[in-house]
Structure formats: C-alpha cells, structure tokens
Amino acid sequence: MRIKFTLCALAVAAVASTTAGLAQAQDFKPRIVRFGFGLVDDSNQGRAVRMFAKEVEKATGGKMKVRAIGNASLGSDTQMQQALIGGAQEMMVGSTATLVGLVPEMGIWDTPFLFSSAKEADTVLDGAEGDKVKAKLEAKGMVGLVYWENGFRNLTNSKRPVTKVEDLNDVKLRVMQNNVFLDSFKALGANAVPLPFSELFTALETRAVDGQENPYNTVLSSKFYEVQKYLTVTNHVYSPWIVTVSKKWWDQLTPAEKKVLQDAAVKSRDFERQDTREEAAKALADLKAKGMQVNELAPAEVTRMRDKLTSVNANIAKSVGQSTWDDVNAAVQKARAA
Ligand code: TK8
C-alpha cells in the first residue's frame, strides 16, 4: 500500500517536472542580451546588472544569456539609448536625466529637492506617477522596466570648499545633459557645462571642468576622489536610474520571456536599492579616508540655496507639463504625509 502510494507520488512528480521542462523549452529561445551601463564593473550599477543577469539565466534554464557590459564600453547613456531604439542593443541602465531629450516628462525627477527621503522616492517612482512617466518611453522605441536608485547628489570640486552659494561663481561645473540641470546650476551662479558621464573623469583630471555632482557611491566607484579635493554635502536632488529595453527587441519576445525580464528587473531593483543604501552609508567615511575634504552647509546657506533653486520650478513645470508637475508633487506630498 505504502509502496504503491510512493510510486504514484513519484510518477506524478515526474510528469509535473517534465511538463514544466517542456514549457520552458518552448517558451525560451536562445538569446543574447547586451546590457550596457556607464559606471565601472565594480559599482552598485555593475553589481545589480550582474544580479539581474543571474536571475534571468536561472529562470530560463540558461537559454537567455545577459552580458553585463559596463564602463560605457557600448557608449554614453544617450548613445546606448539610440542603440536600443534602433535595435542594435537590447538593454541598458542609465540616468533618467539623459532621457529628457526624448521624453520631456522625465525632467520632473530632476526637480531640486523633489524628494526628501529614499522612502518618498520609492513610493512615487514605483507608484502610478512613476509608471505614467516610464510608459512615455514606448512611443520613443524603449520599454522602461523599473527605476533603480542612483541617489542623492552631492557636489565635488577641485577649487575650494563650497560653504556658500557664492563660492560656485567661477566654478566650471559639469552637469548632466538637460535644461533642468543647466538651469539649476546657472541659478546657483556656477558655470554649468553639460557633458556625458563617460567623459567626466578625464574632464576633471585635465581640469577642463572644476567640479561635478553625483551620489557618494559614484564619487567612490569612479575614483573621482583622485581628482577632486572638496566635497560639499548638498543632497540637492535625488537621481533615479531607469532600466530600459529596446522596444524592437521586446516586441519579438514571448509573454513568458517578457515576464522573466520583468520579474528579474523587480528583484534587481530591490537588491540594487539596498546595496546602494548600504554603500552610501559608509561611502562618506571612505571618501574622507581617501583624502577628500568634506563640509556641510550651514542651515542658513541651505535655505539660500533652496530659494535660488526654486526659481527653476516654473520652467520645469512648463517643460514637463502642468499636469505632470501637479500630479507628481501631489504624490510626493502624500508619500511625505504617510
Ligand atoms: C552613468 C550616469 C551617471 C549619472 C551622471 O552612466 O551622468 O552623472 O549620475 O550615473 O547615468
């Protein structure tokens, strides 16, 4: 009796696993996914892309192979976007800021001091407002999967400690390539120079520019501390990254393949945010140990900086559209109150 039952259970299990195996073989074609990113391999970006790659390979029984290609080896953010649109590259992760030329609404995330905590950012980006902006990519030839954390941005430069807004007056400051960033740093009196991230280290090293702004994690992983002496804690804006897929390629995938990518993207998002936050919590001490001189701003100076930066809000609202501006700001208020 007992033996019979065991055999029967084994048979059921065997059938079930064969069926699952067959379904897999049909659902997943052998595919190579070139997944490009701008930071070095040993960075929060690199770690999360490799985690995503593992998840996808596991879920497809090794059929779909994700190649993690960092260091902007496939091009700058904007070059990779064009490759995705044309179908010459399958996936990338990069700053939402570099997508503003294609989807003006993406500029909303660059609003200075929009989010005051990571929790607010997660709630709004993963919620309806984040989805609405992300969905605009499809008409431009890309599919947005998830937002990752780049993080709160801080200022570094090689000229002097910035303790007040006026200290920025003759500082040539690299900014990301969109008008929100240009306007913001012009409003602060800096000489703002738009440049792709892939050219930034050399520009800092050769003093073509004096400074830049990025989260602590990036200052560390990109070794900006080698060419930047001063770091000012400004947290002037929270930057998201966004994981995107070529729509031309996406449209060829089976529903099962799309689901694997979407599920792995969500897992990689949760992993990436935690990894980034843990690294950021230690990074400032690491940067000091590397010889950077770090200063905070006096509360009165923070207020002055905020006041100057709010002058760009009207322009942001105009370029992203009043309804996007209103809806996102309302979502932030709601997240803040929660
Ligand atoms: C990396 C960039 C970077 C961003 C920038 O490709 O450009 O300063 O913060 O993370 O997307």
Side-chain angles (χ1 to χ4, degrees):
M1 216 26 206
R2 190 179 245 160
I3 291 173
K4 242 192 205 159
F5 176 79
T6 312
L7 281 176
C8 185
L10 277 175
V12 169
V15 169
S17 76
T18 323
T19 322
L22 280 178
Q24 261 193 9
Q26 285 163 352
D27 288 344
F28 307 121
K29 300 207 178 77
R31 296 184 191 274
I32 303 278
V33 185
R34 284 156 295 182
F35 192 150
F37 55 99
L39 298 196
V40 294
D41 291 327
D42 188 12
S43 64
N44 51 345
Q45 224 175 30
R47 289 189 291 273
V49 175
R50 289 193 294 277
M51 186 270 183
F52 172 85
K54 273 203 198 116
E55 283 295 324
V56 170
E57 297 208 20
K58 198 167 72 187
T60 60
K63 284 274 176 68
M64 219 190 261
K65 294 213 160 30
V66 180
R67 303 265 182 267
I69 309 171
N71 263 306
S73 300
L74 294 178
S76 65
D77 282 9
T78 50
Q79 286 167 330
M80 289 195 284
Q81 287 155 19
Q82 291 307 319
L84 259 61
I85 293 167
Q89 181 183 329
E90 291 74 28
M91 291 186 70
M92 68 172 285
V93 59
S95 183
T96 53
T98 49
L99 283 163
V100 175
L102 291 164
V103 174
E105 290 84 352
M106 285 283 171
I108 189 71
W109 312 129
D110 299 331
T111 307
F113 303 110
L114 177 66
F115 298 124
S116 57
S117 71
K119 190 186 124 253
E120 284 173 25
D122 292 355
T123 306
V124 176
L125 292 164
D126 299 347
E129 296 314 316
D131 281 349
K132 259 196 253 169
V133 175
K134 187 165 61 124
K136 305 258 178 209
L137 286 167
E138 297 218 14
K140 302 293 172 181
M142 277 174 281
V143 177
L145 295 185
V146 285
Y147 295 97
W148 285 359
E149 173 157 304
N150 188 352
F152 283 98
R153 304 179 78 90
N154 291 288
L155 197 74
T156 69
N157 86 96
S158 54
K159 271 202 148 166
R160 67 178 70 90
V162 173
T163 59
K164 54 184 185 309
V165 180
E166 287 70 19
D167 291 330
L168 281 170
N169 276 350
D170 56 350
V171 172
K172 256 198 186 174
L173 191 85
R174 175 273 178 173
V175 294
M176 290 197 282
Q177 300 140 283
N178 76 43
N179 281 334
V180 181
F181 271 93
L182 263 176
D183 291 352
S184 296
F185 283 93
K186 279 186 188 159
L188 293 180
N191 180 358
V193 187
L195 259 190
F197 183 82
S198 49
E199 291 169 29
L200 182 50
F201 186 91
T202 308
L204 293 169
E205 190 177 34
T206 59
R207 302 248 172 161
V209 295
D210 304 310
Q212 65 88 44
E213 40 84 53
N214 252 300
Y216 299 145
N217 309 61
T218 300
V219 179
L220 194 60
S221 61
S222 292
K223 297 192 163 50
F224 290 161
Y225 55 81
E226 289 181 354
V227 287
Q228 299 277 275
K229 178 74 185 164
Y230 307 104
L231 189 153
T232 309
V233 178
T234 50
N235 291 313
H236 51 274
V237 67
Y238 175 94
S239 260
W241 278 324
I242 187 166
V243 176
T244 49
V245 185
S246 159
K247 183 157 189 320
K248 270 197 180 162
W249 182 71
W250 180 257
D251 288 344
Q252 300 165 24
L253 301 179
T254 63
E257 287 171 328
K258 288 179 183 168
K259 187 172 182 321
V260 164
L261 294 179
Q262 186 64 58
D263 291 350
V266 169
K267 280 191 189 165
S268 72
R269 175 191 72 199
D270 297 344
F271 166 87
E272 192 272 347
R273 284 178 180 162
Q274 195 184 334
D275 176 53
T276 298
R277 286 164 197 172
E278 282 168 12
E279 184 183 50
K282 299 180 300 202
L284 199 53
D286 290 346
L287 292 171
K288 283 182 192 167
K290 303 270 186 206
M292 286 194 94
Q293 191 177 314
V294 176
N295 75 278
E296 308 221 349
L297 289 171
E301 283 307 317
V302 175
T303 308
R304 286 184 69 220
M305 190 177 272
R306 274 178 180 262
D307 286 349
K308 288 203 191 279
L309 283 170
T310 46
S311 71
V312 303
N313 287 354
N315 270 344
I316 303 175
K318 213 188 286 167
S319 57
V320 302
Q322 195 63 43
S323 66
T324 299
W325 175 266
D326 291 342
D327 293 351
V328 169
N329 277 287
V332 174
Q333 289 314 316
K334 203 175 146 204
R336 194 163 294 170

